[in-house]
Amino acid sequence: MTSNQIPPAQQVVDEQNEGSAGLAQVTFRVRCETLGHGESVFLVQADNLHGSRIPLFTTAKSYPWYTTRTPLSISLPAASKSDSVAARKAVFYRYRYAVHRA
């Protein structure tokens, strides 16, 4: 293969999400006006407050709104044919924002 050739695309298999129906690309937006010097805003899962934190950013133009730099990928559960419409709508994700004080 020469340096100007692109290798063929490889199918990526995620073993953790094998039962997944796909991925949703979600952009979060949070309003926070009371940050002080040395404080940061993070997004955390509501049921796992001590898990991974996703930093939120703002600009002078968009302040007081904070967003993620890129959309987050969230695995969607696979729905079987036996699932009712109500059961499919009952699946939801809860996130909250947290302020880290240095």
Side-chain angles (χ1 to χ4, degrees):
M1 179 183 303
T2 63
S3 62
N4 62 353
Q5 289 181 330
I6 299 173
Q10 300 291 319
Q11 182 177 2
V12 177
V13 177
D14 187 355
E15 294 174 6
Q16 277 186 325
N17 297 327
E18 219 171 88
S20 172
L23 292 175
Q25 296 289 315
V26 181
T27 302
F28 288 90
R29 189 172 158 196
V30 173
R31 185 178 177 103
C32 183
E33 298 179 13
T34 59
L35 281 184
H37 180 70
E39 295 178 334
S40 303
V41 181
F42 291 91
L43 191 67
V44 294
Q45 286 185 334
D47 57 348
N48 186 10
L49 298 179
H50 300 291
S52 63
R53 298 183 304 177
I54 302 161
L56 298 173
F57 303 93
T58 191
T59 62
K61 185 177 180 180
S62 64
Y63 179 81
W65 292 100
Y66 289 76
T67 60
T68 54
R69 291 241 167 135
T70 59
L72 302 178
S73 297
I74 297 177
S75 296
L76 301 174
S80 67
K81 291 182 180 181
S82 63
D83 289 345
S84 67
V85 174
R88 291 179 192 163
K89 289 183 178 180
V91 176
F92 64 96
Y93 301 88
R94 292 186 333 170
Y95 284 83
R96 61 186 299 172
Y97 76 95
V99 176
H100 173 74
R101 292 181 171 87

